[in-house]
Amino acid sequence: MPSNPAQRPHPTAIGLGDANAILSVYAPHRPPQAPYDGLDQMHPFAAGELAQLVTATGNHWRKIFNLYAKLLHRLSPREPSWQDCREQRLLQAGSGTALLFSPPHSTPSESWRLVMGKAYAESCGLHLLADLQPLNGFDWSPSQRLILTPYFDYRALSNARLDNLYRLIDSQGGCQFPL
């Protein structure tokens, strides 16, 4: 566990990926398949597990993982393509990424936190944050490094909007992903 308290996982973090993520996406629901639908802690993907989940659950989850991988690859282009990034790094232990199903906490963080979907952000009360401001087509809280994004769907989060999201994160210092 890192010595920096800002990088420690939230005590109620439930989801997929790295417990010490520096780029977390909060989703309003879970994949409808065991064991993912009953998780009560963080579960990092093993090699090949993401592909198996997508095969079992279909296009909806494929879109979410593809958009997350495109953003990760843009922020940290280690693999030759975003597809390789998705298969080799996204949501695995040590990747610095997480897809969380527990509600986002509203405390300052050194990590970037993206809340997927306007309705979900409103249900969590995040649209009421005092320092929420628009930038590059997103609402974000600079003090909390929290960004309210459209739902991860190709129409709502097009490649152009994904580029704007990248530019917003990059303009604020980006992300320093683990090796």
Short mmCIF file of all heavy atoms in Angstrom, two decimals, residues 117-147:
data_model
loop_
_atom_site.label_atom_id
_atom_site.label_comp_id
_atom_site.label_asym_id
_atom_site.label_seq_id
_atom_site.Cartn_x
_atom_site.Cartn_y
_atom_site.Cartn_z
N GLY A 117 -21.95 9.51 -16.44
CA GLY A 117 -23.37 9.77 -16.61
C GLY A 117 -23.91 10.87 -15.73
O GLY A 117 -23.66 10.90 -14.53
N LYS A 118 -24.65 11.78 -16.35
CA LYS A 118 -25.21 12.92 -15.63
C LYS A 118 -26.20 12.47 -14.55
O LYS A 118 -26.18 12.97 -13.43
CB LYS A 118 -25.90 13.85 -16.63
CG LYS A 118 -26.50 15.08 -16.00
CD LYS A 118 -27.16 15.96 -17.04
CE LYS A 118 -27.77 17.19 -16.37
NZ LYS A 118 -28.38 18.08 -17.35
N ALA A 119 -27.06 11.52 -14.88
CA ALA A 119 -28.07 11.06 -13.92
C ALA A 119 -27.40 10.43 -12.70
O ALA A 119 -27.82 10.66 -11.56
CB ALA A 119 -29.02 10.07 -14.58
N TYR A 120 -26.34 9.65 -12.91
CA TYR A 120 -25.64 9.03 -11.79
C TYR A 120 -24.97 10.10 -10.93
O TYR A 120 -25.05 10.05 -9.70
CB TYR A 120 -24.62 8.01 -12.30
CG TYR A 120 -23.91 7.27 -11.21
CD1 TYR A 120 -24.60 6.66 -10.17
CD2 TYR A 120 -22.53 7.16 -11.20
CE1 TYR A 120 -23.94 5.97 -9.16
CE2 TYR A 120 -21.85 6.47 -10.21
CZ TYR A 120 -22.57 5.87 -9.19
OH TYR A 120 -21.91 5.20 -8.19
N ALA A 121 -24.32 11.06 -11.56
CA ALA A 121 -23.66 12.14 -10.81
C ALA A 121 -24.68 12.90 -9.97
O ALA A 121 -24.42 13.21 -8.80
CB ALA A 121 -22.95 13.09 -11.76
N GLU A 122 -25.85 13.18 -10.54
CA GLU A 122 -26.90 13.88 -9.79
C GLU A 122 -27.42 13.03 -8.64
O GLU A 122 -27.66 13.55 -7.55
CB GLU A 122 -28.03 14.30 -10.73
CG GLU A 122 -27.64 15.45 -11.63
CD GLU A 122 -28.72 15.84 -12.62
OE1 GLU A 122 -29.81 15.21 -12.65
OE2 GLU A 122 -28.48 16.79 -13.39
N SER A 123 -27.58 11.72 -8.87
CA SER A 123 -28.08 10.85 -7.79
C SER A 123 -27.09 10.79 -6.62
O SER A 123 -27.49 10.52 -5.49
CB SER A 123 -28.38 9.45 -8.32
OG SER A 123 -27.18 8.72 -8.56
N CYS A 124 -25.82 11.05 -6.90
CA CYS A 124 -24.79 11.08 -5.85
C CYS A 124 -24.62 12.48 -5.26
O CYS A 124 -23.81 12.67 -4.36
CB CYS A 124 -23.45 10.61 -6.42
SG CYS A 124 -23.43 8.89 -6.96
N GLY A 125 -25.36 13.45 -5.78
CA GLY A 125 -25.29 14.83 -5.29
C GLY A 125 -24.07 15.60 -5.77
O GLY A 125 -23.79 16.69 -5.28
N LEU A 126 -23.36 15.06 -6.73
CA LEU A 126 -22.11 15.69 -7.18
C LEU A 126 -22.33 16.95 -8.00
O LEU A 126 -21.42 17.77 -8.11
CB LEU A 126 -21.26 14.68 -7.96
CG LEU A 126 -20.83 13.46 -7.14
CD1 LEU A 126 -20.15 12.45 -8.04
CD2 LEU A 126 -19.94 13.87 -5.99
N HIS A 127 -23.50 17.11 -8.57
CA HIS A 127 -23.79 18.31 -9.34
C HIS A 127 -23.90 19.55 -8.44
O HIS A 127 -23.92 20.67 -8.92
CB HIS A 127 -25.08 18.12 -10.14
CG HIS A 127 -26.31 17.97 -9.30
ND1 HIS A 127 -26.50 16.88 -8.48
CD2 HIS A 127 -27.38 18.76 -9.15
CE1 HIS A 127 -27.66 17.02 -7.85
NE2 HIS A 127 -28.20 18.15 -8.24
N LEU A 128 -23.88 19.34 -7.12
CA LEU A 128 -23.99 20.43 -6.15
C LEU A 128 -22.64 20.87 -5.58
O LEU A 128 -22.60 21.76 -4.72
CB LEU A 128 -24.92 20.03 -4.99
CG LEU A 128 -26.34 19.62 -5.40
CD1 LEU A 128 -27.10 19.06 -4.22
CD2 LEU A 128 -27.06 20.79 -6.03
N LEU A 129 -21.55 20.27 -6.02
CA LEU A 129 -20.24 20.65 -5.51
C LEU A 129 -19.99 22.14 -5.72
O LEU A 129 -20.24 22.67 -6.81
CB LEU A 129 -19.13 19.85 -6.19
CG LEU A 129 -19.08 18.36 -5.84
CD1 LEU A 129 -18.07 17.66 -6.73
CD2 LEU A 129 -18.73 18.16 -4.37
N ALA A 130 -19.49 22.80 -4.70
CA ALA A 130 -19.32 24.26 -4.74
C ALA A 130 -18.37 24.73 -5.84
O ALA A 130 -18.60 25.76 -6.45
CB ALA A 130 -18.84 24.76 -3.38
N ASP A 131 -17.31 23.98 -6.11
CA ASP A 131 -16.34 24.45 -7.09
C ASP A 131 -16.49 23.78 -8.46
O ASP A 131 -15.59 23.86 -9.29
CB ASP A 131 -14.91 24.29 -6.56
CG ASP A 131 -14.44 22.85 -6.45
OD1 ASP A 131 -15.31 21.95 -6.39
OD2 ASP A 131 -13.23 22.63 -6.43
N LEU A 132 -17.64 23.17 -8.71
CA LEU A 132 -17.88 22.55 -10.00
C LEU A 132 -17.89 23.62 -11.09
O LEU A 132 -18.54 24.65 -10.97
CB LEU A 132 -19.23 21.83 -9.97
CG LEU A 132 -19.45 20.72 -10.99
CD1 LEU A 132 -18.43 19.61 -10.82
CD2 LEU A 132 -20.85 20.18 -10.85
N GLN A 133 -17.11 23.37 -12.15
CA GLN A 133 -17.01 24.35 -13.23
C GLN A 133 -16.91 23.66 -14.58
O GLN A 133 -16.41 22.54 -14.65
CB GLN A 133 -15.82 25.28 -13.00
CG GLN A 133 -14.50 24.55 -12.89
CD GLN A 133 -13.38 25.49 -12.51
OE1 GLN A 133 -12.70 26.00 -13.38
NE2 GLN A 133 -13.19 25.71 -11.23
N PRO A 134 -17.38 24.31 -15.63
CA PRO A 134 -17.26 23.71 -16.96
C PRO A 134 -15.87 23.97 -17.54
O PRO A 134 -15.28 25.03 -17.35
CB PRO A 134 -18.33 24.46 -17.77
CG PRO A 134 -18.48 25.77 -17.09
CD PRO A 134 -18.17 25.54 -15.63
N LEU A 135 -15.35 22.96 -18.24
CA LEU A 135 -14.08 23.10 -18.95
C LEU A 135 -14.02 22.00 -20.01
O LEU A 135 -14.25 20.83 -19.70
CB LEU A 135 -12.89 22.99 -18.00
CG LEU A 135 -11.52 23.24 -18.61
CD1 LEU A 135 -11.39 24.67 -19.13
CD2 LEU A 135 -10.42 22.97 -17.60
N ASN A 136 -13.73 22.39 -21.23
CA ASN A 136 -13.62 21.45 -22.36
C ASN A 136 -14.87 20.58 -22.53
O ASN A 136 -14.78 19.43 -22.93
CB ASN A 136 -12.39 20.54 -22.20
CG ASN A 136 -11.10 21.26 -22.46
OD1 ASN A 136 -11.09 22.37 -22.97
ND2 ASN A 136 -10.00 20.64 -22.09
N GLY A 137 -16.03 21.11 -22.17
CA GLY A 137 -17.28 20.37 -22.35
C GLY A 137 -17.63 19.43 -21.22
O GLY A 137 -18.54 18.62 -21.34
N PHE A 138 -16.91 19.49 -20.10
CA PHE A 138 -17.18 18.64 -18.95
C PHE A 138 -17.35 19.52 -17.71
O PHE A 138 -16.84 20.63 -17.68
CB PHE A 138 -16.01 17.68 -18.69
CG PHE A 138 -15.79 16.74 -19.83
CD1 PHE A 138 -14.90 17.05 -20.84
CD2 PHE A 138 -16.48 15.54 -19.91
CE1 PHE A 138 -14.70 16.20 -21.92
CE2 PHE A 138 -16.28 14.68 -20.97
CZ PHE A 138 -15.39 15.01 -21.98
N ASP A 139 -18.04 19.02 -16.72
CA ASP A 139 -18.09 19.69 -15.43
C ASP A 139 -17.06 19.00 -14.55
O ASP A 139 -16.98 17.78 -14.51
CB ASP A 139 -19.48 19.58 -14.80
CG ASP A 139 -20.50 20.43 -15.53
OD1 ASP A 139 -20.12 21.47 -16.10
OD2 ASP A 139 -21.68 20.04 -15.54
N TRP A 140 -16.29 19.81 -13.83
CA TRP A 140 -15.27 19.20 -12.99
C TRP A 140 -15.02 20.03 -11.76
O TRP A 140 -15.28 21.23 -11.72
CB TRP A 140 -14.01 18.95 -13.80
CG TRP A 140 -13.09 20.11 -13.98
CD1 TRP A 140 -13.35 21.26 -14.66
CD2 TRP A 140 -11.77 20.22 -13.48
NE1 TRP A 140 -12.26 22.09 -14.61
CE2 TRP A 140 -11.27 21.48 -13.90
CE3 TRP A 140 -10.95 19.39 -12.73
CZ2 TRP A 140 -10.00 21.91 -13.57
CZ3 TRP A 140 -9.68 19.83 -12.41
CH2 TRP A 140 -9.22 21.07 -12.84
N SER A 141 -14.51 19.37 -10.74
CA SER A 141 -14.14 20.00 -9.48
C SER A 141 -12.62 19.97 -9.38
O SER A 141 -12.03 18.91 -9.17
CB SER A 141 -14.75 19.22 -8.31
OG SER A 141 -14.16 19.63 -7.10
N PRO A 142 -11.96 21.13 -9.54
CA PRO A 142 -10.50 21.16 -9.45
C PRO A 142 -9.98 20.69 -8.10
O PRO A 142 -8.96 20.00 -8.03
CB PRO A 142 -10.15 22.63 -9.68
CG PRO A 142 -11.34 23.26 -10.28
CD PRO A 142 -12.51 22.44 -9.86
N SER A 143 -10.66 21.04 -7.02
CA SER A 143 -10.16 20.67 -5.69
C SER A 143 -10.23 19.17 -5.44
O SER A 143 -9.50 18.64 -4.62
CB SER A 143 -10.94 21.42 -4.61
OG SER A 143 -12.28 20.94 -4.54
N GLN A 144 -11.12 18.49 -6.14
CA GLN A 144 -11.30 17.06 -5.90
C GLN A 144 -10.82 16.17 -7.05
O GLN A 144 -10.91 14.95 -6.96
CB GLN A 144 -12.77 16.78 -5.62
CG GLN A 144 -13.22 17.50 -4.37
CD GLN A 144 -14.59 17.08 -3.95
OE1 GLN A 144 -15.01 15.94 -4.15
NE2 GLN A 144 -15.31 17.99 -3.34
N ARG A 145 -10.36 16.82 -8.13
CA ARG A 145 -9.94 16.07 -9.33
C ARG A 145 -11.04 15.10 -9.76
O ARG A 145 -10.79 13.95 -10.09
CB ARG A 145 -8.62 15.36 -9.08
CG ARG A 145 -7.48 16.35 -8.84
CD ARG A 145 -6.17 15.68 -8.60
NE ARG A 145 -5.71 15.01 -9.81
CZ ARG A 145 -4.52 15.17 -10.34
NH1 ARG A 145 -3.65 15.97 -9.78
NH2 ARG A 145 -4.16 14.52 -11.42
N LEU A 146 -12.25 15.61 -9.76
CA LEU A 146 -13.43 14.83 -10.08
C LEU A 146 -14.08 15.43 -11.33
O LEU A 146 -14.29 16.64 -11.39
CB LEU A 146 -14.41 14.87 -8.90
CG LEU A 146 -15.65 14.05 -9.08
CD1 LEU A 146 -15.71 12.99 -7.98
CD2 LEU A 146 -16.87 14.93 -8.99
N ILE A 147 -14.35 14.60 -12.33
CA ILE A 147 -14.92 15.04 -13.59
C ILE A 147 -16.23 14.30 -13.82
O ILE A 147 -16.27 13.07 -13.74
CB ILE A 147 -13.97 14.79 -14.78
CG1 ILE A 147 -12.61 15.47 -14.54
CG2 ILE A 147 -14.60 15.28 -16.08
CD1 ILE A 147 -11.56 15.12 -15.56
#
